[in-house]
C-alpha cells in the first residue's frame, strides 16, 4: 500500500498561509500615525490671551479711589486746617498754643486715665464673667453667651440712657430711696461725675473683652481642669496656673481694643451730662461747634488721631504676637 505523496513531490504548490495586514503605527494617544502632531486648539494664541488679562492693580483702583474720597481727603483737610491760623498762611503756631493751654492738658489727662481705668475694669469684670459662663454650668448660660453677641451691636448712648433711668437724679434707685425714707432727693448723684462716665464705659465695653475670652475658653481642654482638681489644686490655683495662661492672648487683644475705643468715646461722655469731664473728643466738639475755633479743634483732632493710630498699631502687634 503506497503512502500519501508529499505535496511538494507531486509538483503542486501548497496554498500559502494567510498573512495579517500590518497595523498602522499610531502615536501615543492612539488617534493618528506616530510622529503626527495633534491639531492645534481653537481660539487665540496664548500671548493674545495673556494680553487680554487686566492687571491686578487695576482692580484695586476703585476701592482706593473711594477711600481717598471719603476718608483721606477730609483727613487731609483737617491736617491742613491745623496748620492754618486765622491770620492766614501756614504755621505750626496753633500746635504751640494748644500744647501750652491748660484745657488741652486737662483733657488729655482725663482721656488717658478714663481709658486706662475703663480698660482695667473691663479686663477684670470680663474675665470673671467669662469664667462663670464658661466653667460654671447654670440654666440659661448659652442664652447669656448669645446675648453678649447681641450686646456688641448696641450703641453706646443706649447703655448710658439705661444707666440714667436707673441711677439718674430722677431714676429708679433715687425714686425707691425717696419713697422709703421720705427724703427730698436720693443719694445717687454720680453719673454726672467722672465715676459715672467710668461706670458707663465699663458697662458698655466689657462684652468686647468677654467675646474673645469665651472663644479662648471654648478651646481649653477640660481634662486639664479635672486633673488639676484631682491632684488637690484649689480653685484659685487652677485659675492662676491653668486658666489664666490660656486667657492671656484674648485678654491682651481685648484690652488693647477696649483701650483704643475708650480713647475715642464721645457718646457716653455727652449723654451722661458730665459737664466737668472734658476728654479730647469733647474738646474737639466744644472748640468746633460751640466756639467755631476750627484751627484749635483740628489740632486736637490730629493729636487724637495720632494717639489712636499708635494704640491701634500696638493692638495689631500684640494680636499678632499672642496669636489672637
Amino acid at each position: 500500500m503506497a503512502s500519501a505523496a508529499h505535496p511538494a513531490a507531486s509538483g503542486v504548490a501548497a496554498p500559502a498561509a494567510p498573512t495579517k495586514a500590518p497595523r498602522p503605527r499610531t502615536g501615543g494617544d492612539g488617534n493618528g500615525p506616530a510622529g503626527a502632531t495633534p491639531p492645534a486648539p481653537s481660539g487665540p494664541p496664548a500671548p493674545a490671551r495673556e494680553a487680554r488679562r487686566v492687571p491686578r492693580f487695576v482692580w484695586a483702583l476703585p476701592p482706593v479711589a473711594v477711600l481717598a474720597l471719603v476718608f483721606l481727603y477730609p483727613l487731609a483737610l483737617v491736617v491742613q486746617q491745623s496748620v492754618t491760623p486765622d491770620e492766614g498762611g501756614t504755621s505750626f503756631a496753633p500746635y504751640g498754643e494748644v500744647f501750652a493751654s491748660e484745657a488741652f492738658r486737662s483733657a488729655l489727662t482725663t482721656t488717658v486715665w478714663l481709658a486706662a481705668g475703663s480698660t482695667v475694669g473691663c479686663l477684670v469684670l470680663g474675665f470673671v464673667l467669662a469664667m462663670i459662663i464658661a466653667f460654671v454650668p447654670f440654666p440659661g448660660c448659652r442664652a447669656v453667651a448669645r446675648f453678649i453677641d447681641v450686646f456688641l451691636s448696641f450703641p453706646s448712648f443706649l447703655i448710658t440712657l439705661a444707666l440714667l433711668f436707673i441711677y439718674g437724679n430722677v431714676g429708679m434707685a433715687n425714686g425707691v430711696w425717696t419713697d422709703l425714707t421720705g427724703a427730698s432727693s436720693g443719694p445717687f448723684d454720680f453719673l454726672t461725675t467722672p465715676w459715672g462716665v467710668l461706670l458707663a464705659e465699663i458697662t458698655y465695653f466689657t462684652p468686647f473683652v468677654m467675646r474673645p475670652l469665651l472663644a479662648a475658653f471654648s478651646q481649653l481642654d477640660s481634662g486639664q481642669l479635672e486633673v488639676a482638681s484631682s491632684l488637690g489644686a484649689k480653685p484659685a490655683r487652677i485659675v492662676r496656673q491653668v486658666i489664666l495662661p490660656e486667657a492671656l492672648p484674648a485678654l491682651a487683644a481685648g484690652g488693647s481694643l477696649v483701650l483704643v475705643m475708650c480713647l475715642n468715646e464721645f457718646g457716653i461722655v455727652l449723654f451722661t451730662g458730665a459737664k466737668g469731664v472734658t476728654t479730647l473728643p469733647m474738646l474737639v466738639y466744644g472748640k468746633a461747634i460751640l466756639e467755631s475755633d476750627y484751627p484749635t479743634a483740628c489740632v486736637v483732632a490730629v493729636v487724637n488721631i495720632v494717639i489712636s493710630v499708635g494704640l491701634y498699631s500696638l493692638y495689631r502687634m500684640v494680636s499678632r504676637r499672642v496669636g489672637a
Side-chain angles (χ1 to χ4, degrees), residues 106-291:
S106 176
L108 180 61
T109 304
T110 302
T111 302
V112 171
W113 86 259
L114 276 178
S118 300
T119 302
V120 173
C122 291
L123 289 176
V124 174
L125 182 61
F127 181 71
V128 174
L129 295 179
M131 277 200 310
I132 294 175
I133 295 175
F135 302 115
V136 181
F138 62 90
C141 61
R142 292 181 179 233
V144 173
R146 292 175 181 174
F147 176 74
I148 293 175
D149 296 334
V150 179
F151 190 90
L152 297 177
S153 63
F154 289 172
S156 59
F157 70 85
L158 182 62
I159 306 303
T160 308
L161 287 178
L163 291 176
L164 287 174
F165 282 128
I166 298 175
Y167 300 109
N169 293 332
V170 291
M172 295 170 50
N174 285 326
V176 172
W177 177 270
T178 54
D179 291 341
L180 293 178
T181 61
S184 59
S185 60
F188 302 101
D189 189 20
F190 62 91
L191 282 183
T192 57
T193 67
W195 301 108
V197 177
L198 190 66
L199 173 63
E201 290 188 351
I202 292 176
T203 303
Y204 179 70
F205 290 111
T206 294
F208 289 87
V209 175
M210 295 178 62
R211 185 65 267 174
L213 280 174
L214 291 175
F217 290 157
S218 65
Q219 304 296 326
L220 181 62
D221 186 9
S222 59
Q224 300 180 18
L225 305 179
E226 297 174 359
V227 170
S229 179
S230 64
L231 293 177
K234 295 182 179 180
R237 186 176 181 182
I238 294 176
V239 171
R240 186 176 64 254
Q241 296 185 355
V242 180
I243 298 179
L244 185 58
E246 296 292 333
L248 283 179
L251 283 173
S256 301
L257 179 61
V258 169
L259 182 62
V260 174
M261 298 175 70
C262 289
L263 187 71
N264 299 283
E265 181 55 42
F266 174 76
I268 289 179
V269 183
L270 181 65
F271 275 82
T272 53
K275 298 181 180 179
V277 180
T278 302
T279 59
L280 290 180
M282 288 295 297
L283 186 60
V284 173
Y285 172 78
K287 292 296 182 180
I289 305 301
L290 302 181
E291 301 179 16

Side-chain angles (χ1 to χ4, degrees), residues 52-64:
R52 291 182 182 178
R53 290 185 179 178
V54 179
R56 293 183 178 180
F57 73 90
V58 175
W59 298 105
L61 291 179
V64 170

